[in-house]
Amino acid sequence: MISIRQPARFYIGLCLAMLMPFHSTSDAAGQPRSLGSTYKSDFLIGMAMDFTSNELTPTELELIKSNFNVVTPENSMKPDSVHPAEGRWTWGNADKLVQFCQENKIQIIGHTLVWHGQTGKWFFKGENGQPVSRDVAIERLKEHIHTEVGRYKGKIKGWDVVNEAINDKPNGDSENLRNNGWLEAIGLDYINLAFKFAHEVDPNAELYYNDYNIEKGDKHKSSMLLLKRLVKEGVPIAAVGIQGHWGLNNLPYDELDAAIADYKSLGLKVNISEMDVVITGQGGGQLTPAGGAASAHERDSRRGARTPPTAQQLKQQADAYATFFKIFQKHKDVIERVTLWGLSDARTWRPGQAPLLFDAQNSPKPAFAAVIAAKQP
Ligand code: XIL
């Protein structure tokens, strides 16, 4: 692997940033510009992080505090993290994150209550390992949501209540719900119930439906059918989260522009909830093609080439981020938040694909400068 020493890297980054049209990553006083303050009048700017054994360094914490005004726990509020077995709750990392955000006046998004991933199989097992009955599954769903939402009541801006309920296999003529444990045990109304349970505990928290690839094609059509029904049935849903796991080979600008308008027509707000733009390899929000644990081969093919990105690739990525941010601003009346899924190319779930705005040494990339420059007057 080619290794470039820190000063050289910084210098290259700076030169690339200077090639970008009319902007600087510093303000008139020479202070680095902040993402959050640049977009203060438009929408919140967030990132995903956790307090785990792989501790964030003081430099990283500073970067977070100076650039982001809202945080999503990347893993630490998921069912597996907080509720690994019946009657067992493990709050350590989630509590730490809430404390850090409160101390630093950073808002918090709860992620996620109901999902097919990172959710113990125990939820769906009845006596003797038999499939759980509908009544017991509803009781477990209620207890899970009541306990978690209740613990952080008043501290969470909004919850991703249901995550990724729509199938990848296209069928735009129907809601095309993914066959997860909750659907199997409860039936179609598990989504309605999840929103109801969250709302009755913390009526002031905004509640979201969150998914990937819903801005285009059949999955968009299915999302419209699902959301239209939820709204019609009086489900307390405030916004839809478009995850935004994009890549240089997947930049759905026009589809996104139209999709945001579609969601607005349903009376919903929109969050861009997990944005990244990979330079190489496979993007997308799917955990693995099969939905299970990724094999070493799958992981490698996702990451693409492990060579550092070229100047041209960094420029393409910068242009892509800028274009997305212009679309977001066009829709600032409905977009409430843009959250990046990680902090840097070292703190990302797509390692080796250089998807974020800071490089692995925490220096701003050309994409950072491009996002700042994309701010419209
Ligand atoms: C990812 C995390 O980033 C990884 O660390 C974890 O191993 C798997 O989950 N959609 C979501 C997120 O809603 O919760 C996922 O986060 C990425 C895709």
Side-chain angles (χ1 to χ4, degrees), residues 4-61:
I4 304 177
R5 279 177 305 123
Q6 173 83 7
R9 237 173 197 289
F10 186 77
Y11 181 70
I12 294 168
L14 206 66
C15 291
L16 286 168
M18 284 163 67
L19 291 175
M20 306 298 303
F22 45 75
H23 59 71
S24 144
T25 52
S26 305
D27 64 16
Q31 293 299 310
R33 285 191 197 279
S34 144
L35 295 167
S37 59
T38 300
Y39 283 96
K40 191 168 73 220
S41 58
D42 300 327
F43 29 72
L44 296 169
I45 302 277
M47 53 86 63
M49 61 176 274
D50 282 312
F51 286 97
T52 60
S53 50
N54 184 10
E55 268 181 42
L56 290 151
T57 64
T59 309
E60 289 174 322
L61 290 171

Side-chain angles (χ1 to χ4, degrees), residues 3 14 43 72 92 100 115 121 139 144 170 175 184 206 250-252 352 358:
S3 99
L14 206 66
F43 29 72
T72 304
F100 167 81
W115 189 27
K121 293 215 181 346
E139 218 20 71
H144 176 71
E175 292 179 10
E184 252 172 52
E206 294 172 355
N250 170 31
L251 299 169
F358 298 99

Side-chain angles (χ1 to χ4, degrees), residues 329-372:
Q329 288 170 89
K330 177 177 165 199
H331 295 284
K332 64 185 178 189
D333 59 329
V334 273
I335 294 200
E336 293 210 309
R337 168 172 59 94
V338 178
T339 289
L340 293 152
W341 203 243
L343 173 64
S344 66
D345 291 345
R347 297 273 185 188
T348 163
W349 76 311
R350 299 287 198 209
Q353 296 179 266
L356 292 171
L357 302 182
F358 298 99
D359 71 15
Q361 280 71 35
N362 300 313
S363 294
K365 293 163 62 183
F368 174 91
V371 167
I372 300 281

Side-chain angles (χ1 to χ4, degrees), residues 122-195:
W122 70 265
F123 279 106
F124 314 112
K125 282 202 179 127
E127 280 179 40
N128 310 319
Q130 294 301 302
V132 75
S133 70
R134 173 175 151 92
D135 285 351
V136 172
I138 291 177
E139 218 20 71
R140 286 182 181 162
L141 180 71
K142 184 173 173 182
E143 196 220 357
H144 176 71
I145 293 177
H146 274 197
T147 308
E148 185 165 4
V149 175
R151 183 177 185 87
Y152 299 117
K153 181 176 177 169
K155 299 178 178 171
I156 301 282
K157 174 179 167 53
W159 280 97
D160 288 334
V161 178
V162 175
N163 198 27
E164 304 179 353
I166 301 171
N167 260 320
D168 286 326
K169 207 161 156 235
N171 179 354
D173 296 333
S174 77
E175 292 179 10
N176 197 16
L177 295 185
R178 189 191 285 270
N179 195 18
N180 65 24
W182 294 113
L183 181 72
E184 252 172 52
I186 298 178
L188 288 175
D189 58 340
Y190 85 91
I191 299 179
N192 304 52
L193 288 168
F195 278 86

